[in-house]
Every structure is written in structure tokens, then in C-alpha cells.
Amino acid sequence: MGDIFIGGVPFLALGHHDGRFLRTAGLFAFARRTPSGGYEVLHLGLSAAINRDAGPGHPRWAWAMRAGMDSLLVHLFGKPAEIPAGAPADLETVTWHLDAEVTLLDAQDDGASCDHDLASALASGRS
């Protein structure tokens, strides 16, 4: 699978431990490869610094590892997003685990660092 889209947002696939190299804000998804070559999302989150949040200290990390996580899908803020011409706004190329969670705001975050339109679009695009 060449292109990964979650709620119309393009993502790049990395190894599940490679988030430690991304010292930037963005969206991240704990995921596992499916037999068909696609990805199943186990958790979707928003972070001001992916290297601090998308690792073993994350509350969903151990659960995701037990569920077979082998990939980290990322969308880095500030990078140009290439979306295919004619693609629907809610383009989705992943499947979702039944127990997947979406966490776009930290309980201690006042929301100042969050793009609320993006967060809303992603949350409503989840199937």
C-alpha cells in the first residue's frame, strides 16, 4: 500500500519505535500491518512532540504491543500534504481495531496547541 490516509489526512508508516526521532508536532497512530498489506489503527493521537508521546510511556503502548503493533503512522504538522486529485475529504485507507481509541487532546492540555477543525474532522471520520 503506497498511500495511507486517515480521515483524509495523509500518513507515513514508520517502525513502531521510530517516533523517538520525530521532535515535531503531528498526528500519530499506533498500527499493525494486516495480511492484505494494509494497516489497522489501534490508537490515534495528537502530539506537540511525537518523540515524547508516541513511545513506551504512552498509556496505550502496552495494550497496542499486545494487540500486535508493528508500525507507527505519522502526519507531521508543517509538512505539505499530498492528497490525490478528486479524493473525498474523508478518504480512509486503514481499518480500525474494535478497541481503538482517538485521543486528540491531553487531559491537561487547554487545547491551545490543537487544530480544532482537524481534530473534529478526524474524530468524525472514524468508522
Side-chain angles (χ1 to χ4, degrees):
M1 173 187 273
D3 297 314
I4 305 163
F5 291 90
I6 301 174
V9 177
F11 281 74
L12 171 69
L14 303 172
H16 66 288
H17 284 289
D18 291 340
R20 67 183 181 263
F21 301 114
L22 302 174
R23 296 180 176 156
T24 188
L27 295 165
F28 66 91
F30 297 153
R32 66 180 175 195
R33 294 298 303 254
T34 63
S36 66
Y39 292 91
E40 181 177 41
V41 174
L42 306 168
H43 177 82
L44 177 67
L46 175 68
S47 175
I50 291 173
N51 65 312
R52 289 191 317 240
D53 296 328
H58 190 281
R60 295 282 287 176
W61 180 270
W63 174 85
M65 290 298 293
R66 288 190 305 273
M69 175 176 58
D70 58 9
S71 302
L72 180 69
L73 308 179
V74 296
H75 173 81
L76 305 177
F77 292 165
K79 298 288 182 188
E82 295 183 19
I83 301 171
D90 61 350
L91 178 61
E92 193 90 5
T93 61
V94 299
T95 58
W96 288 82
H97 188 279
L98 290 174
D99 295 323
E101 290 184 1
V102 176
T103 307
L104 297 178
L105 290 177
D106 185 6
Q108 298 175 353
D109 187 356
D110 64 2
S113 63
C114 175
D115 180 333
H116 292 283
D117 292 334
L118 177 60
S120 176
L122 282 167
S124 65
R126 181 175 172 222
S127 54

